[in-house]
Amino acid sequence: MKKIILIEDESSVVSFIKKGLQELDFEVSVAFDGNTGISMVEENDFDLIILDIMLPGINGLDVCKEIRKNNKNIPILFLTALSSSENIVLGLESGGDDYLVKPFKFIELVARIKSLLRRSHQNNLETTEVINENIYQFSDVTVNDYTKKVIRGGEEISLTSTEYKLLLYFLNNPEKVISRAEILDAVWGVNYELGTNVVDVYVNYLRKKLDNQEENKIIHTVIGMGYVLKKP
């Protein structure tokens, strides 16, 4: 389920959009002002932002610029009554990806959202490059399976045998949501009791060594499903 945040202060517009998108199985969160929207984007992992320009407090253009300081990739769709060419240019130059003018048809909004999500998926899609049969490269992580050396951002990282096997399994399955049962079978090769938290424990061990900064993490939790390796 794709997660969308709607930053909009008109309650009637919020109700209309939220109801329609939820019926299409999108998860929709709402912020009624710019500062709240910025905080929510910083604290959550959204797939797309729908952003009004005329907001109380901080306007949408400044909201967009602030979000872009820490998040270059999330698609931002401006949704506003400001329809002049100058305003559209300002929106796109502030970091927006698309611009839809009010009043709008809901079917067009959905089409814009789907287009932005497809484009975002293609831009974010990253595979593990196998430089040769022993060397794996993903984002800024390099693993030499011959020497068992792991390097991220130019720094060597020391892993235990189990942590190393866990990382290698992720590298062989980039962008795939992997269940805990699959990880147990691949890394431990043993059918543990379903209640065990061994996978969560070792994923946390690996994260502490590999993902030491929140903005650079590559191992992500998919609630209720497992884990996925994807670029920051």
Side-chain angles (χ1 to χ4, degrees), residues 100-203:
L100 185 60
V101 177
K102 300 175 183 175
F104 60 91
K105 293 183 178 180
F106 183 72
I107 190 173
E108 183 178 1
L109 173 64
V110 173
R112 300 287 186 99
I113 289 171
K114 289 182 177 179
S115 176
L116 287 172
L117 289 173
R118 282 195 301 269
R119 193 189 315 167
S120 175
H121 176 72
Q122 291 301 318
N123 290 340
N124 289 331
L125 191 63
E126 182 162 332
T127 59
T128 300
E129 180 183 0
V130 182
I131 298 173
N132 61 44
E133 63 180 7
N134 293 312
I135 300 178
Y136 297 82
Q137 178 80 46
F138 183 89
S139 186
D140 60 347
V141 176
T142 302
V143 174
N144 187 321
D145 197 33
Y146 183 77
T147 62
K148 309 302 182 187
K149 282 188 176 181
V150 177
I151 295 174
R152 180 163 199 197
E155 296 184 7
E156 187 172 346
I157 299 170
S158 178
L159 300 180
T160 67
S161 174
T162 301
E163 292 165 354
Y164 179 86
K165 287 192 291 184
L166 179 58
L167 174 59
L168 206 60
Y169 183 59
F170 277 122
L171 289 172
N172 279 291
N173 294 277
E175 299 287 342
K176 176 186 176 184
V177 177
I178 309 169
S179 70
R180 290 168 175 79
E182 289 175 302
I183 295 173
L184 278 172
D185 183 59
V187 177
W188 282 266
V190 176
N191 290 323
Y192 279 76
E193 295 179 6
L194 292 178
T196 183
N197 66 345
V198 65
V199 171
D200 300 318
V201 169
Y202 273 89
V203 167

